[in-house]
Structure formats: C-alpha cells, structure tokens
Amino acid sequence: MKITIIGAGPGGYEAAIMAAKLGAEVTVVEKKEVGGTCLNIGCIPTKALLASADVLTTSLEAEKFGVFNDHTTVDLKQIIERKDKLVAGLVKGIEFLFESNGINLIRGIGKLIDSKTVEVKCNDGGVETLVSDKILLATGSVPVCPEMFHYDGEKVITSTEALALKTPPKSMIVVGGGVIGCELGQFFSHLGTKITIVEMADQILSSEDESVAKQLLRQFKREKIKVLTANGVTDVKVENSGVVVTLKNGAILEAEMMLLSIGRSSYSKGLNLEELGIKVDLKGQIEVDETLQTSVKGIYAVGDLINTPYLAHVASKEGIIAAENMLGKNKTGIHKAIPRCVYTDPQVAAVGLTEKDAQQKGIVYKTGSFDFRSLGKAQIIGKIQGQVKIIVDEQDVIIGASIIGPEATDLLAELTMAVHLGLTAEELGDVIHPHPTLSEAIMEALHDIHGMSINKASLRF
C-alpha cells in the first residue's frame, strides 16, 4: 500500500514510521525541517532554554548546599547555540529513522488534487505528482497574530523569534498567560528582563486547577513578574523605543518588546480542502470520525488540524492511530487521559478533570492532596513548593489530578495511566512507592482521599 503524508511534525513523522513498519510504501512531504513546530521552534527548543535557566537557578542557590561559586554569568548567545545544536541533532535523528525505514522524504509544499493524488511544489523549483492509496494531513498550526498587535518579528514577536534572541530585552510585555507565555516570561525574567504578563481570563493557566494557578502566581510575584489578569489589550503602538500598549482598564504599559502568546490556529492553507469537499468546522479545523478519517474517504487528518488539544504528544498518538487505520486496523482516537505539562519553575502537570470541570459536569467528587514540603526528598533537593491534588468520583475512580512542584511533568505519568485505565484511589494507593522519592507525594495524596495520609499534618480539636 502507498501512503502520502503532508507534514513531518510529531503527527506526520510518527505516522510515517508506523506505516512503514506495518509494510506500507511511505512518502512524506515537508517544506521545512522534519520534526515540525515541536522540535524546531516549540517544545524542544523552549525546554532547552528552560534547562539553562534551571542551571542558573541552581548555581545562584548553591550556597544552601555548601557549594560556593565565585561568579555566575549568563550568555544568552551560548544558550541559543546549545539549543540549536540539540535541535539539529534531533532533526538528523528523525532523518536517519526515515532512511532506515525506507521512507521517501520530499522537500516542498503539498496540495491535494483528489482523494489519491498530491501535487508537490518542490523547494528546488520542480513539481512532483504523487499517487497513493491513502493520504494523511498533518500540517500543524501557526501562532495567532491579530492585525491589531502589529506583529513585525522585531519589537512585536512570537515564540519563534523569542527562541532566537541573542540578547535579552530590558523589558517585555507578554500577551497571554498560557503555557508559552508563562514559560518564556519566566525564562526571560531569570535573565533580568522586566516581565509583565497580560491575561484576559481570571487566572493564568486558565484551563488548570485554580489552586495550581494561585501557587504559580505566588512564585511569579516572588520573582517580581507582574501579572495582570482579567484584562485585555485594546491598542498597540510600535515606536522606535519599543511598544506602547493600552489595556481594557485604561492602563498603559511600555516595554522594549511584546511577546504574543495568545494561541495557535490550524494551518491548512493551500491544501485544497474546500475543492475536495473536506468538511471543516467554524474554527477551520478539519472534521474527522473516530478513526481520524475526514469526510473524504481515504484522507485522514491528525494533530493541530483537528479539534483535539494542540499538544505534540496528542498529535503523535493520533498519527500512530491513523497509520494503523490506513493499513486496515480499526482503532479509535484515545483522548480520555491527555497529560498537560507546563515547564515553569515550579513545574505544572495535570490530567483529566479539574475541580471546576467536575462541578460543571455535576459530578460528585472527593479530593486528596499532599504538600511537597512534607516530603524528605523535596527537602533534600531544596524544592519544597507545591502539592499533588487528586480527584475521584463516587466510585473512588481517579478522574483527574494536578501537580505543581519539582519534576511534576515526569511524576504525572503514573496518574495519567490511572485515569486511562480507570483505576481507583485505593488500587493505586496500595502500590508501594520507593523512599525517599517525590512520587511519595502521589501515594500520600491518594491516601488523603480517605483521610488516611500518614504524613499529612492535620489539626485535631
């Protein structure tokens, strides 16, 4: 079977490798580097910068551990060079996987001609016509940049430009207090940039648990990061000295730069969706069935093109499912337990429902929680801020969890599995957790649901 995939981001490249392993003849069309936004200008480079910030924080706090540094300096240019080297190595790794799995990679822009044909305008100026049995669309998304913000890539930037800055600005207004805004805002704050985050919702990380957002907000305040919630931008002026922003409440902010982090939108430009009759929703997202097939038989779509969370790991899973279905299987999209990760300091990670979600759905629930400050391991590593919170329904089934604290994004895997498998708090709480570890906070939170946490302080009257 021949399969053509347009887009080599997480959804496209993992689908290609899976399809090849299942015996398909696979061709991938990609106009830029393989790995897509996530690898080149998203998840990986952002976390590379944040890793440098973590080293800086550790260095500045070294005296607490009996280690003394004579002098600590930061060179953003070297941080960016390290990031670029890491990204280049991972891109080569995917190219090697393509080669070793016999996947044909064509550099160019693909366009649908019919349900079996893709026309490629190659980067070298040529044109190729690809005829295949099945087609997968995986072209991802782009940052939202409304005209009123006067995006110019210099004073008004997106994460793409932020990841390539050689010197930190003296001041920056971050529009949007979601994942990208919080991560990059804190990163530049650590480098000495005066940061102001403007968020329209009532809290930063608006989709996460309120208690988590409040704890992160407290950390930002300690770091002198100014956060303005329940506010929006009404006017933007770009001047020689920087950017002047007027807020909904009439306040005026000035900064050297403004970072737009207000979301992303599906990128389907030039695919010919309308001409082929491929249905899209009001947001421009492609409509798919449970098998990830579009309204046109034989054409599938995954990742940021469809109405599922814009997350690399979601696109990867959907790409694998789509590949299996194109080759005769009948798998459905698995979106019951989607992990959500924010790589701030402290980290934030969540899966399933928040308390607000449960309330809106009318679910009767209970919670259990445990603070990291009560853990021996947290005190050993000097990271005591944060907690684990777990939500269960009336049958004691774990339906959601939130973690804010050290290594939260790694700790979440255990709770993601629990939500995915429908485990109860009693079942997971019976598992022996190694000591001393951060994972003990999960065990204690599970026990706390039933009022049986051994190490949680409680007041008795």
Side-chain angles (χ1 to χ4, degrees), residues 235-383:
D235 185 64
V236 175
K237 288 184 174 65
V238 180
E239 301 178 348
N240 291 333
S241 59
V243 182
V244 180
V245 173
T246 303
L247 301 184
K248 186 178 179 181
N249 65 0
I252 295 177
L253 306 176
E254 297 183 33
E256 186 177 327
M257 283 186 180
M258 180 168 69
L259 170 65
L260 294 180
S261 57
I262 55 177
R264 301 181 65 84
S265 61
S266 299
Y267 184 75
S268 57
K269 183 180 178 181
L271 285 177
N272 259 2
L273 301 181
E274 187 176 340
E275 289 81 352
L276 266 70
I278 295 177
K279 293 181 180 180
V280 298
D281 62 22
L282 295 176
K283 295 181 180 180
Q285 298 166 324
I286 296 174
E287 296 182 3
V288 294
D289 62 18
E290 289 187 345
T291 67
L292 301 174
Q293 186 169 214
T294 70
S295 56
V296 175
K297 187 177 181 181
I299 300 180
Y300 293 72
V302 298
D304 294 359
L305 282 178
I306 67 175
N307 187 24
T308 53
Y310 285 18
L311 298 168
H313 44 275
V314 172
S316 296
K317 183 62 177 178
E318 290 172 347
I320 291 171
I321 292 171
E324 292 175 318
N325 289 337
M326 286 189 287
L327 286 151
K329 295 189 178 183
N330 188 34
K331 288 199 171 182
T332 58
I334 301 173
H335 297 117
K336 181 181 178 182
I338 297 177
R340 308 184 297 274
C341 302
V342 189
Y343 293 82
T344 46
D345 182 14
Q347 291 184 1
V348 173
V351 64
L353 304 182
T354 63
E355 280 200 72
K356 186 176 180 180
D357 294 332
Q359 291 164 5
Q360 290 176 342
K361 292 176 180 290
I363 297 173
V364 177
Y365 68 91
K366 291 195 298 184
T367 67
S369 63
F370 192 79
D371 293 338
F372 280 105
R373 67 175 58 254
S374 298
L375 278 187
K377 179 60 180 289
Q379 294 186 30
I380 288 168
I381 64 176
K383 293 182 180 294

Side-chain angles (χ1 to χ4, degrees), residues 123-150:
N123 291 351
D124 61 10
V127 176
E128 284 196 40
T129 300
L130 307 173
V131 179
S132 55
D133 300 292
K134 302 286 176 66
I135 297 170
L136 175 64
L137 306 178
T139 49
S141 63
V142 292
V144 174
C145 299
E147 289 185 12
M148 66 164 287
F149 289 100
H150 306 297

